[in-house]
Amino acid sequence: MTEKVCAIILAAGLSSRMGQTKQLLPIGERCMLAHVIDRVLEERFTKVIAVIGHEAAAIQEQIHVVDNRFQWVIHPDYRLGQSSSLAAGIQQLSPADSNVMIFLGDLPFISKQTIQAIYESGSRMVHEQLEPFMIRPLYKDIPGHPVFLGRIEESLFAGMHGDQGARSIFKRLAVKKCLAVKDEGVAVDIDTPQDYKEANKQIIKLNISNK
């Protein structure tokens, strides 16, 4: 039996270290957030939620998504940090949506193979575990995204604050697994102008698909 898995893309931040709206910065022929959305929609997720806040209108105007699984969620309190954005995304799930993968809007280089590996690993664990669990990729001992949360319960997200995101949940879960990957893209986020400069140099190397 194939388990239902939803996806949440966190892209509501201020981009304060970048100095401009990084979600809309071009990476090749597409903007950064569009790359992430495109890659996520290639997979078998039953629902894909992109949580935006800062410059939400501009993001929606520039990025057009034609897929009935996709929805924008505008988070007015995005200044409270990534955890509040994650909570806003989780609130859009139904009680039947107990499996979710968390993506970041500034990690556009994650490979299709990595997403599939985490998805499949999480789907298998759903049948092995009766309690909430987490799987996250590990590149050269560096933890990254996307993170798979399985058999989640609303109580797991109580007490999240600031920019901790799923890290605070990870500490509370008894069942957690790190999946070693060779994909540098799980840990290469783009926060500063220097990061962005390097990212554009790595487009061919990291096999970004320009659509």
Side-chain angles (χ1 to χ4, degrees), residues 64-84:
H64 301 280
V65 182
V66 182
D67 192 307
N68 58 16
R69 297 171 298 158
F70 180 83
Q71 71 176 98
W72 295 109
V73 171
I74 300 176
H75 178 41
D77 297 323
Y78 62 89
R79 292 176 184 271
L80 295 177
Q82 191 183 94
S83 293
S84 70

Side-chain angles (χ1 to χ4, degrees), residues 3-189:
E3 294 293 330
K4 292 183 178 180
V5 182
C6 300
I8 295 176
I9 303 168
L10 302 179
L14 281 164
S15 310
S16 56
R17 293 171 62 191
M18 182 65 70
Q20 56 184 309
T21 306
K22 65 181 176 181
Q23 297 94 321
L24 295 178
L25 288 175
I27 301 285
E29 296 177 1
R30 299 275 279 161
C31 69
M32 189 185 308
L33 180 55
H35 277 299
V36 178
I37 293 171
D38 288 348
R39 182 51 53 86
V40 173
L41 286 172
E42 289 176 353
E43 305 307 326
R44 297 168 290 166
F45 296 110
T46 55
K47 185 182 297 183
V48 175
I49 296 165
V51 183
I52 55 176
H54 179 64
E55 296 290 348
I59 290 171
Q60 288 180 294
E61 182 178 349
Q62 184 164 329
I63 302 174
H64 301 280
V65 182
V66 182
D67 192 307
N68 58 16
R69 297 171 298 158
F70 180 83
Q71 71 176 98
W72 295 109
V73 171
I74 300 176
H75 178 41
D77 297 323
Y78 62 89
R79 292 176 184 271
L80 295 177
Q82 191 183 94
S83 293
S84 70
S85 296
L86 176 56
I90 293 293
Q91 288 170 6
Q92 301 300 314
L93 303 180
S94 72
D97 297 326
S98 60
N99 306 303
V100 62
M101 281 177 66
I102 311 298
F103 293 80
L104 301 185
D106 60 357
L107 268 74
F109 297 130
I110 301 167
S111 74
K112 181 180 181 71
Q113 292 75 20
T114 295
I115 296 173
Q116 290 175 340
I118 298 168
Y119 184 106
E120 296 297 339
S121 182
S123 296
R124 286 193 299 271
M125 281 191 70
V126 169
H127 297 286
E128 300 167 0
Q129 298 292 335
L130 297 177
E131 56 186 310
F133 67 88
M134 174 186 277
I135 300 173
R136 73 181 312 173
L138 201 65
Y139 173 75
K140 294 185 177 179
D141 295 325
I142 303 172
H145 283 77
V147 173
F148 189 109
L149 297 175
R151 295 193 174 278
I152 59 174
E153 302 166 352
E154 188 175 350
S155 60
L156 278 175
F157 302 93
M160 288 194 307
H161 63 276
D163 284 320
Q164 290 185 340
R167 290 193 294 273
S168 61
I169 303 170
F170 188 76
K171 295 176 181 177
R172 301 205 304 266
L173 290 175
V175 180
K176 43 200 172 188
K177 172 183 176 181
C178 287
L179 185 66
V181 300
K182 297 180 180 180
D183 181 7
E184 183 182 1
V186 305
V188 179
D189 54 356

